[in-house]
Amino acid sequence: MVGGWRVARFGAIDSTNEEARRRAFAGDPGRLWIVADEQTAGRGRRGRAWISPPGNLYASALVIDPCPPAAAGQIGFVAGVALARAAEDAGARDARLKWPNDLVRGGAKCAGLLVEGATLPGRRLACAVGLGVNCRSAPEGVGYPTAVLTAEGGRAIDPRALFARLVGRFDEALRIWRAGEGFEAVRCAWLAYAAAPGARVRVERGGERREGTFEGLDGAGRLLFRGESGIETIESADLWILPQSDGWPAAASSASHAREGRD
């Protein structure tokens, strides 16, 4: 047990999320973390492979009936806040959240989140909240910048120590969220860790690419994107932070953006 959660540890496993799914359908009551040293078939959003060598953190939380189904999409933000706070606890004070599901340092991805839901018999909802954190190594040749999550001064972060902090922070974030009733507090907390609010970004969805600025999240957690036609909300897309061009306004700090969100 860690922080009131059961923990199942594996040396190697196909996927911690897949193991969470198997256990959910086998009748597991939830409040369970599944942790592995290595994944042989890790996955990310949209079915992408998640390269999972030893030395990093691979973990999934299984929660049963965490909220009404309509609020299930908020769980990724709950997990994001928990991960950002756990990383900060471990000394990684420069880690930031990138919509919809990444933790980045200097624009390079050092962790990813994947929330997968399933309907169990009796119409119960099971959610597997998967996290992969680059603690020792980061994949190369994946088409986007990657980095290792380190503490100040380049000190390595131990995956077991990070996991211990993550369990407590996730439990804390779930209590703040209150099955969806407290999502506004979670949204403000997420924005406090947001990477480069006001920065130039590119969104990609359905084969279309557009550039504009990241303006935050709306009350439902959708991306606020300022393009040529003004601000619009985007439900689902890939987002990339672009280098600032000459004449482009400097991005506001995460702290100032968070204050604006609370006012």
Side-chain angles (χ1 to χ4, degrees):
M1 297 282 286
V2 177
W5 289 68
R6 294 174 296 128
V7 179
R9 297 185 181 274
F10 294 85
I13 198 172
D14 54 351
S15 158
T16 57
N17 260 26
E18 193 61 33
E19 178 67 11
R21 177 184 174 86
R22 288 191 288 262
R23 292 189 179 221
F25 278 98
D28 193 287
R31 284 191 67 83
L32 169 71
W33 278 96
I34 297 158
V35 189
D37 297 331
E38 180 181 5
Q39 293 183 125
T40 59
R43 59 178 180 267
R45 291 177 68 237
R46 306 182 192 278
R48 296 169 180 142
W50 183 267
I51 300 171
S52 310
N56 296 332
L57 173 62
Y58 312 110
S60 295
L62 173 62
V63 288
I64 305 295
D65 285 334
C67 61
Q74 301 171 3
I75 296 176
F77 296 100
V78 176
V81 168
L83 178 57
R85 287 176 169 171
E88 186 174 51
D89 291 342
R93 303 187 185 281
D94 59 347
R96 292 290 178 263
L97 292 167
K98 180 176 76 67
W99 187 89
N101 68 335
D102 291 343
L103 190 73
V104 299
R105 292 180 63 239
K109 182 171 180 174
C110 53
L113 303 165
L114 177 64
V115 180
E116 296 180 305
T119 302
L120 303 177
R123 303 196 61 79
R124 302 188 70 197
L125 174 65
C127 287
V129 185
L131 304 98
V133 185
N134 299 333
C135 294
R136 178 182 295 176
S137 63
E140 299 179 353
V142 291
Y144 52 83
T146 61
V148 171
L149 183 70
T150 59
E152 290 179 326
R155 177 172 53 85
I157 291 177
D158 178 72
R160 284 184 173 256
L162 179 61
F163 172 69
R165 295 181 181 276
L166 176 62
V167 173
R169 287 300 196 176
F170 186 58
D171 210 34
E172 173 188 70
L174 285 173
R175 291 195 302 270
I176 294 170
W177 179 53
R178 302 194 321 275
E181 293 182 6
F183 180 64
E184 179 58 19
V186 170
R187 185 184 78 90
C188 288
W190 193 98
L191 286 170
Y193 288 97
R200 180 168 166 252
V201 297
R202 182 175 71 240
V203 293
E204 300 182 8
R205 57 175 178 172
E208 179 188 24
R209 294 184 176 186
R210 291 187 296 150
E211 293 186 10
T213 56
F214 170 73
E215 299 294 334
L217 307 177
D218 74 357
R222 294 174 297 189
L223 171 70
L224 294 176
F225 173 80
R226 185 185 294 276
E228 294 180 355
S229 58
I231 294 180
E232 62 183 283
T233 59
I234 296 178
E235 184 87 30
S236 176
D238 289 321
L239 180 141
W240 310 96
I241 300 172
L242 302 176
Q244 300 302 293
S245 60
D246 293 340
W248 196 273
S253 70
S254 294
S256 65
H257 194 275
R259 285 195 294 271
E260 292 167 6
R262 286 193 291 266
D263 291 342

